[in-house]
Every structure is written in C-alpha cells, then in structure tokens.
Amino acid sequence: MLIFVSNANSKQQSNYQALLTVAVASNFYYPLTRLLDTSKDWGAHNIRLVSGSSGVLYAQIVNGAPYHVFLSADAMRPQILYESGKGLKPISYAKGRLVLWPADPASSAIENLSQSAGRIAIANPQTAPFGAAALDYLSKIPKYAQLKSRLVYGNNIAQAFQFVDTGNASIGLIAKSMLIQAQAKFPDKQAHYAMYIAIDDALYPEILQQAIVLTSPKQDEHALAAAFMAFLLSTSTQEQLSSLGYQGVSQ
C-alpha cells in the first residue's frame, strides 16, 4: 500500500494525487495505518492520511480542505459538519481510552498525580477531545487547584505524549493508543511504555469517536469513501481495536 502522510499543521503543500484523502485525529493515526497495512482488500489503493487535532482538521474542512473522510476523536465536530450540509450522517467507529503515564500501578491515579512534582501534560482541551476528557477528569479531583498550575498543553494528543516522552513533562493523561504505538516502535522500552494506569471510564466523558464522509462532486470518490467506511466498521476491523487501545463501537 502506498500511503502519503501529511501533518495538518504543516504549511507545505504536495502535488501527490491520492484516490482517497482521509483526515484523521492524531490519536487514531497509528491504529489506522496498522489496520490498513494488514488489510488485503485495501492494498491496491492509494490513500493519503492527514493527521492533526480534531479541532484543526475541522477548521480546515470548514475552510475548504479537499478531504474525503474525516475521522474525528469526538462526535461533536462531525455532527456540526453534517448539520451544515458538508457530509453524510456521522457514524461512530471507536471509543477512546484515557490513561495516566508513567504511573505506578500499585498506587491510584490521584496518588501518582500528587506524588509527581513536575508538569502534567494533556492535549489542548479546546481542539483535542482527549484533552477535554483529561481536563474534565482532573477538575473533579479534590486537589485540582494544586494540579492546575502544573498543566502543560500539547497541540494534540501526540504532542502531549511527546512532552512526557522527552522529559518536558513528568506525567501525562494521554490516549492508550499512543503507548501501544510506542511499544511497537521501541520494543526495547516496552516496560517503560507499559507503566500506565487506565482511568476508569466513568470518571470522564465518553470519548466516542465519529467519522463523516464529506461531500464530493465526484461519484467515484463517494463510492471509495463509502467502501473505506465499510472496512472501518467491519467485524474484523472492530475486533482489532482493543489491541490498538480502543473499544469497538459494538462493545
């Protein structure tokens, strides 16, 4: 499979012509590449992936970015696009999982946060749904007033992870999928990336991720986008999500 990868924040433009351009939230970029790479049916297609925070990608779509499919990390932005006539009815494709990393599994998440003296990294809650979920979780903690001054915000969940991974933050509330990606990329550091605590789903808003097929004047592009969505929602794909840090929408 030939995949051209672009960053939504990059000012560089490319003349690369792909049959399908998918705008994908940063948290789901690695899982999507894994799903595509292991799919025999999609091996013959040229797909361009543009990764960034859901808020940035949404703004680009509103301003005319030529994307065929938008995989958001939330349900709000696809719904707004649908209501404004920019695409078909949104479909849920995954449920995100929030974790605290690095953390001592023998202690609670609150104890780990309190004992860590450095910065706490989360994604920008204004543009990244994982950041909004993290802030909602933190705001309910009795010691939130003490923790608030230590928060540092990444442009997206990938940057929040990088803050912790590079030592610019001592701990972070990030997507579980980011740690699974890191374990696969750096097998010699698997133990380090496995030192996290899964935050109880009941303690933060459900991160229901939705996709929308955007309006295109070309019938063949619509057909390919619909086929891509069928692949994403297939039983085989949904069953793989748990190993990539998500819950399938049927779970």
Side-chain angles (χ1 to χ4, degrees), residues 34-48:
R34 293 290 298 154
L35 292 169
L36 292 171
D37 285 342
T38 57
S39 170
K40 295 180 180 179
D41 294 336
W42 284 88
H45 294 297
N46 293 342
I47 301 178
R48 177 175 179 249

Side-chain angles (χ1 to χ4, degrees), residues 20 42 45 69 213 221-233:
L20 191 70
W42 284 88
H45 294 297
V69 179
V213 174
E221 293 178 345
H222 253 309
L224 188 58
F228 172 82
M229 286 304 303
F231 156 73
L232 193 61
L233 297 173

Side-chain angles (χ1 to χ4, degrees), residues 21 58 60 64 78 90 96-97 101 115 117 131 143 163-164 169 194 215 232:
T21 300
Y58 167 80
Q60 291 179 343
R97 306 298 300 274
W101 173 75
Q115 292 168 6
K143 295 183 178 180
F163 283 164
V164 182
T215 302
L232 193 61

Side-chain angles (χ1 to χ4, degrees), residues 131-159:
L135 189 62
D136 184 89
Y137 166 74
L138 290 170
S139 67
K140 297 173 183 175
I141 294 176
K143 295 183 178 180
Y144 173 62
Q146 300 172 4
L147 301 176
K148 186 177 181 180
S149 62
R150 294 165 50 200
L151 292 178
V152 57
Y153 304 98
N155 291 329
N156 50 53
I157 198 64
Q159 189 174 62

